[in-house]
Amino acid sequence: MRRRNFLRGACGVAVALPFLESLNWRRFIKTAHAAEPGGKRLVVFFMCNGVNMETFFPAAPGPLSAASLMGTGLEPLADHAGKLLIPRGMHMVPKGWGQDADTPGDDHAKGMGHKLTAEALHPDTLYSRGISIDQFAAQQLNTDGAPAMTLSVGWRHTNWLGHISYAGSNTPVTPEGNPWLTYQDLMGLGGLDEAVKMQIAARRQSVLDLVEEEFKALKAKNLSQADVTKLEMHADSIRDLEVDMVGNGLIECALDPARAAEIEAIDPNSVLEDWQFKTIGQMQLDILAMAIACGATSAGSIQFASGSGGPIYKWDGMNHEYNHHKLSHGNTKDDDSGEEVAGYLDMIAQIDRWHAEQFKHLLDRLSGYSEGDGTVLDHSAVVWFNELSDGKAHSYLDLPIIIAGGAGGYLKQGHYIDLINGQDPWVQSHPHNRLLITLLNAVGCTDNGGPITQFGRAGLEPGEYAELLA
């Protein structure tokens, strides 16, 4: 995520001092939004390894309700059933299991690098050869071309197994895993004086309150009467603009001071520890939701853990002995050379439900921001992707994908759709690159002013999924 060194005021307004003839120079205080509040947004929620395919999905395709989610891995999302779209039967492209012989990397590498790019991996680095949808959307939707907010939770590999987001071919975007650094980036605190950081992080302030001393210093100089008048008029105009923006209901780019203080208090040496996994994850989700809502960015991704890895879950009723990757194989060793873990499918189901609770946390936050005739969630496409489907088989078939929010009415909601109509997933008739195309069109991305028809590797099937449109 690009570092920004600027002050952000209470309303996110762009402020520049008037030209003062007496000083013959210009200074700027930048507090601009990266995106226009109220536009469409794309958010990626990424879970590593696979899921329990027997318990993850509702029992049968059709309209979704709280009742239809009961007893599944998605039961925690019952309150949002009417906002969900579950498309079943898609397969990843390029394919896994060596089905596309000219694509390098093992199934874990492909599950991480292909999912958001639909592009093969570079043979020398195993990083993807293409841009990911979060960064592609950010390039078009962020008014200043700023990259997507890219976050992670917990320990991850620093190589290709630890990246899902790409700015271009062989150009991974390293996610930020420390929520306090994430928040400082968002608030423009990087490189600022500690006293100013405290002012911004601890309480919501006017731009003029934050630069009061600078204004006093200017007035103390030998300014002409004309320059003094200009400075006073400029201050009055900023006050009027702030009042007007607050009155128009713009969402502030700041968390509640108490929550900001909790985030600041996190020990930076503990952020990657398993025991902090839930705490750090929910902090990152809070910041991501706020950044999307207030217009700091129109696109973002959050990656929980790492490909071929993951924490040992020992919270919220779980007390596992082995990490997520081992459980996804049902084996006590990462290379499958150990013994079978008794009851591992039940443990995977517990992990699925826990991640559904975190997805709910994100949806709760986004739906808690009112905007126009709905909420920020209503104007967004929030997509839950997984590295794999059946983790033990390293499967790229029948991908578990959950979409929340209608992207302003573009996407169907409240439905579980079987795209392959009960056919064997080996038919492989629904490549996932077409989902990426659908999502980009849903949030308003274009190709030379028209709809996007191609995304990912050359030669893939074109067009979006009409079945997913409202």
Side-chain angles (χ1 to χ4, degrees):
M1 186 163 55
R2 184 169 67 192
R3 297 278 179 185
R4 298 179 184 137
N5 294 325
F6 53 77
L7 292 176
R8 185 176 297 278
C11 304
V13 293
V15 183
L17 287 173
F19 181 73
L20 304 178
E21 289 86 349
S22 305
L23 300 181
N24 198 29
W25 49 263
R26 188 184 295 268
R27 296 183 65 190
F28 296 94
I29 303 165
K30 297 180 181 179
T31 58
H33 284 293
E36 290 297 326
K40 293 184 178 182
R41 289 84 149 198
L42 176 66
V43 183
V44 171
F45 177 99
F46 196 95
M47 176 178 163
C48 293
N49 299 303
V51 302
N52 185 332
M53 295 292 285
E54 297 178 3
T55 60
F56 190 80
F57 295 100
L64 286 171
S65 65
S68 66
L69 296 178
M70 292 299 108
T72 74
L74 304 177
E75 183 174 332
L77 301 177
D79 290 347
H80 295 284
K83 303 284 186 180
L84 302 181
L85 174 61
I86 306 175
R88 181 104 187 248
M90 274 183 270
H91 65 89
M92 183 182 73
V93 286
K95 301 174 183 177
W97 290 347
Q99 296 296 299
D100 287 330
D102 60 336
T103 57
D106 64 18
D107 290 319
H108 278 294
K110 291 177 180 180
M112 299 296 290
H114 291 186
K115 203 62 84 287
L116 302 188
T117 66
E119 181 55 272
L121 307 181
H122 193 283
D124 296 329
T125 65
L126 295 186
Y127 288 126
S128 180
R129 297 185 192 182
I131 191 171
S132 54
I133 57 168
D134 56 328
Q135 301 298 341
F136 185 95
Q139 287 182 0
Q140 292 205 11
L141 302 181
N142 284 344
T143 55
D144 60 357
M149 176 172 275
T150 310
L151 308 179
S152 64
V153 182
W155 180 90
R156 61 176 186 81
H157 292 285
T158 57
N159 61 13
W160 55 90
L161 292 172
H163 293 82
I164 60 170
S165 185
Y166 286 83
S169 178
N170 212 28
T171 312
V173 178
T174 299
E176 178 57 71
N178 183 327
W180 176 235
L181 295 181
T182 301
Y183 194 59
Q184 289 189 78
D185 260 344
L186 177 65
M187 298 296 292
L189 300 181
L192 294 182
D193 180 84
E194 286 300 318
V196 177
K197 286 184 183 182
M198 291 300 295
Q199 283 181 296
I200 299 173
R203 62 183 184 273
R204 301 178 174 101
Q205 289 187 301
S206 161
V207 174
L208 290 181
D209 291 337
L210 293 174
V211 295
E212 180 180 5
E213 294 304 316
E214 294 185 44
F215 269 77
K216 286 180 179 179
L218 282 174
K219 289 181 179 181
K221 295 181 181 293
N222 188 26
L223 299 180
S224 68
Q225 185 57 48
D227 280 348
V228 171
T229 301
K230 283 182 183 180
L231 202 58
E232 291 176 347
M233 290 178 63
H234 187 63
D236 290 341
S237 68
I238 294 172
R239 290 286 192 200
D240 290 344
L241 179 59
E242 289 185 327
V243 171
D244 179 64
M245 293 179 77
V246 172
N248 281 308
L250 292 183
I251 296 167
E252 183 181 1
C253 278
L255 292 174
D256 177 88
R259 185 57 165 162
E262 290 176 352
I263 292 171
E264 184 180 7
I266 285 290
D267 177 0
N269 296 317
S270 74
V271 296
L272 302 184
E273 299 291 333
D274 285 1
W275 64 273
Q276 286 278 48
F277 199 70
K278 178 178 179 178
T279 297
I280 298 300
Q282 294 199 345
M283 287 178 173
Q284 296 279 58
L285 290 170
D286 287 350
I287 296 169
L288 176 58
M290 183 265 289
I292 289 289
C294 76
T297 185
S298 288
S301 66
I302 183 165
Q303 166 189 337
F304 281 78
S306 185
S308 191
I312 299 175
Y313 291 81
K314 289 183 176 292
W315 53 86
D316 290 346
M318 297 177 286
N319 190 27
H320 300 167
E321 183 178 354
Y322 301 100
N323 73 9
H324 193 191
H325 179 240
K326 292 182 177 68
L327 291 180
S328 73
H329 284 268
N331 200 280
T332 60
K333 300 289 186 181
D334 285 306
D335 62 1
D336 280 348
S337 64
E339 304 295 325
E340 181 175 296
V341 178
Y344 74 92
L345 282 175
D346 290 337
M347 297 178 199
I348 294 173
Q350 289 179 322
I351 293 172
D352 294 342
R353 285 178 57 92
W354 185 84
H355 278 275
E357 290 169 359
Q358 309 322 298
F359 194 58
K360 178 184 183 297
H361 184 91
L362 176 60
L363 302 187
D364 286 346
R365 293 297 181 269
L366 292 172
S367 61
Y369 291 106
S370 297
E371 186 174 72
D373 58 354
T375 69
V376 171
L377 177 60
D378 294 325
H379 299 143
S380 303
V382 187
V383 194
W384 175 350
F385 285 99
N386 266 79
E387 175 191 349
L388 303 164
S389 53
D390 181 344
K392 187 171 186 178
H394 280 187
S395 181
Y396 69 97
L397 303 172
D398 200 10
L399 297 174
I401 294 167
I402 313 298
I403 305 169
Y410 195 94
L411 297 171
K412 189 174 291 185
Q413 296 185 87
H415 280 80
Y416 170 32
I417 300 172
D418 183 358
L419 293 171
I420 59 177
N421 295 316
Q423 290 180 305
D424 189 320
W426 270 102
V427 173
Q428 300 184 70
S429 56
H430 288 75
H432 97 283
N433 70 296
R434 294 182 58 203
L435 171 66
L436 305 186
I437 294 169
T438 305
L439 294 170
L440 290 174
N441 284 330
V443 297
C445 294
T446 63
D447 181 8
N448 293 319
I452 294 173
T453 59
Q454 296 277 358
F455 189 82
R457 192 183 193 195
L460 293 177
E461 186 177 339
E464 60 185 6
Y465 282 116
E467 301 95 323
L468 307 186
L469 307 186

